[in-house]
Amino acid sequence: MTARSVMSILPPRLMVPDRQISPLRAIAGRLFLAIMLLVVAAFVVYADRSGYRDVVSHELTLLDCFYYVTVSLTTTGYGDITPVTEGARLVNVLVITPMRVLFLIILVGTTLQVLAEKSRQSIRVQRWRHKVRDHTIVVGYGTKGRSAVAAMLADGVEPNRIVVVDQDQALLGAASELGLVTLQGNATRSDVLKSAGAERAASIVVAVNRDDTAVLVTLTARELTATAQVVAAVRETENVHLLRRSGATSVVVSAETAGRLLGIATSAPSVVEVIEDLLTPEEGFAVAERDVEQAEVGADPKHLPDIVLGVVRGGNLIRVGDERVDALEPGDRLLYVHTTSKE
């Protein structure tokens, strides 16, 4: 049985990213806390040094106090220094003993941190599942998936509202570093997409490497939600109708689109540059969509200050120049070109 087939039968594992602390910083923090406990305990004993007795009946020095609390907190306990008065014994019960327990907790902090991290992760997952609505699921974090995520992040989408589903743990690790929610599993299975919250998602991006897998993922996604926008990428044009019949809202032919741009670049490279500019929202020109403003109702989209490419009416895109959109109506959405710049 291959690793991929084994992964297909394992339960999905959802990971919600958290603020990361470097191992060296975590160790330094625990070491500092342990030293502070030793210092505080030593001065507590030194303040009541008359209540302690060593084997030679000498009054304790500050060094003796540090020695005593060190062997006490580490539970070594040689017994050469002991509390003899009631006050000193009360301090040991109320102060030294709790510090001893805390000191031991710090010493085994790595193990406890792992256990605590699992608990925190479980809490974060439950909280995320309870609150998440209208998020985006990206199936496949290869070249296409990463580009889709980059475009969404550039448009201002919060990272914790993007769920990346993939079977490759290395790719999911890269997605988690960006603050994305990750889910390891096979997205052709309904339980995996359910774990990603497909029933409540606003959109599902299918960016897998095989067209047949894209069809299966789209069918599974559409079975779970009838309202989400399902956007799928395919390599071959002949498979577009299969994706649309499977329930895809939009289908992008990756190989054909790249081929057209290559062909255009041979005779009009500037056109390709403009198209790339439109697809890159960080700076230059960008294509966006917005609601028609009240003052624009009844106006011809060709006469608006924005460069309008089309009008979305009733869920259908109508290109500018069609007489049906010579006058804008309430509820229309404009597909337009605007300029952007890096701050």
Side-chain angles (χ1 to χ4, degrees):
M1 184 177 292
T2 65
R4 183 170 293 273
S5 62
V6 170
M7 183 61 64
S8 67
I9 62 176
L10 291 177
R13 184 173 62 180
L14 184 67
M15 296 291 291
V16 179
D18 190 18
R19 183 174 62 92
Q20 298 295 322
I21 301 177
S22 67
L24 290 178
R25 185 176 179 182
I27 293 173
R30 288 196 289 270
L31 181 60
F32 175 77
L33 182 57
I35 293 174
M36 289 303 299
L37 282 174
L38 286 173
V39 171
V40 171
F43 278 100
V44 169
V45 173
Y46 186 73
D48 191 29
R49 58 189 178 278
S50 61
Y52 292 81
R53 182 178 61 191
D54 63 5
V55 292
V56 293
S57 301
H58 288 165
E59 184 177 332
L60 300 188
T61 65
L62 183 59
L63 178 59
D64 292 330
C65 294
F66 270 101
Y67 166 75
Y68 170 71
V69 298
T70 299
V71 297
S72 295
L73 295 186
T74 57
T75 69
T76 304
Y78 294 116
D80 49 352
I81 299 177
T82 58
V84 293
T85 65
E86 292 183 356
R89 291 174 178 175
L90 184 62
V91 169
N92 265 262
V93 171
L94 299 180
V95 179
I96 302 300
T97 298
M99 284 187 174
R100 181 183 299 117
V101 174
L102 184 57
F103 191 84
L104 292 175
I105 290 175
I106 294 173
L107 291 180
V108 295
T110 302
T111 302
L112 292 176
Q113 184 177 10
V114 171
L115 297 176
E117 174 58 28
K118 290 182 179 179
S119 299
R120 289 198 302 269
Q121 181 62 225
S122 178
I123 293 173
R124 288 197 299 269
V125 168
Q126 294 300 325
R127 185 181 303 163
W128 178 85
R129 285 177 173 169
H130 179 72
K131 292 183 178 180
V132 69
R133 295 288 187 281
D134 299 327
H135 56 294
T136 299
I137 300 172
V138 179
V139 180
Y141 200 62
T143 303
K144 292 177 288 188
R146 290 195 298 270
S147 298
V149 168
M152 288 185 285
L153 294 177
D155 283 337
V157 179
E158 297 179 2
N160 61 2
R161 300 193 63 81
I162 301 176
V163 183
V164 174
V165 181
D166 204 301
Q167 298 187 69
D168 191 323
Q169 184 58 48
L171 295 178
L172 294 179
S176 183
E177 290 180 357
L178 297 177
L180 309 177
V181 179
T182 60
L183 177 63
Q184 187 175 18
N186 186 348
T188 60
R189 292 169 45 187
S190 60
D191 63 325
V192 173
L193 289 182
K194 283 181 179 179
S195 297
E199 302 97 323
R200 302 181 301 276
S203 55
I204 300 175
V205 177
V206 183
V208 295
N209 294 325
R210 293 171 55 97
D211 289 1
D212 54 350
T213 304
V215 172
L216 290 175
V217 173
T218 302
L219 284 170
T220 305
R222 189 52 76 197
E223 182 182 23
L224 296 175
T225 174
T227 58
Q229 297 286 326
V230 179
V231 183
V234 294
R235 300 174 64 88
E236 304 296 337
T237 306
E238 62 187 20
N239 295 323
V240 171
H241 75 285
L242 294 177
L243 267 298
R244 293 196 180 278
R245 295 188 65 177
S246 299
T249 309
S250 301
V251 181
V252 178
V253 185
S254 57
E256 183 174 300
T257 301
R260 288 178 179 175
L261 291 177
L262 290 173
I264 293 173
T266 61
S267 58
S270 297
V271 175
V272 177
E273 185 176 348
V274 171
I275 294 175
E276 290 181 341
D277 190 7
L278 290 172
L279 295 176
T280 307
E282 288 87 355
E283 188 174 12
F285 292 104
V287 180
E289 188 176 327
R290 66 172 177 86
D291 293 325
V292 170
E293 299 178 0
Q294 185 62 37
E296 296 171 338
V297 174
D300 190 329
K302 295 190 295 292
H303 299 155
L304 296 180
D306 293 324
I307 303 175
V308 180
L309 302 177
V311 177
V312 180
R313 179 177 295 170
N316 298 317
L317 174 63
I318 306 174
R319 289 169 176 77
V320 171
D322 193 311
E323 60 181 11
R324 290 176 294 173
V325 293
D326 285 346
L328 295 174
E329 299 177 358
D332 287 347
R333 291 181 61 82
L334 299 180
L335 191 67
Y336 69 103
V337 177
H338 67 100
T339 57
T340 59
S341 61
K342 292 183 178 179
E343 297 181 355

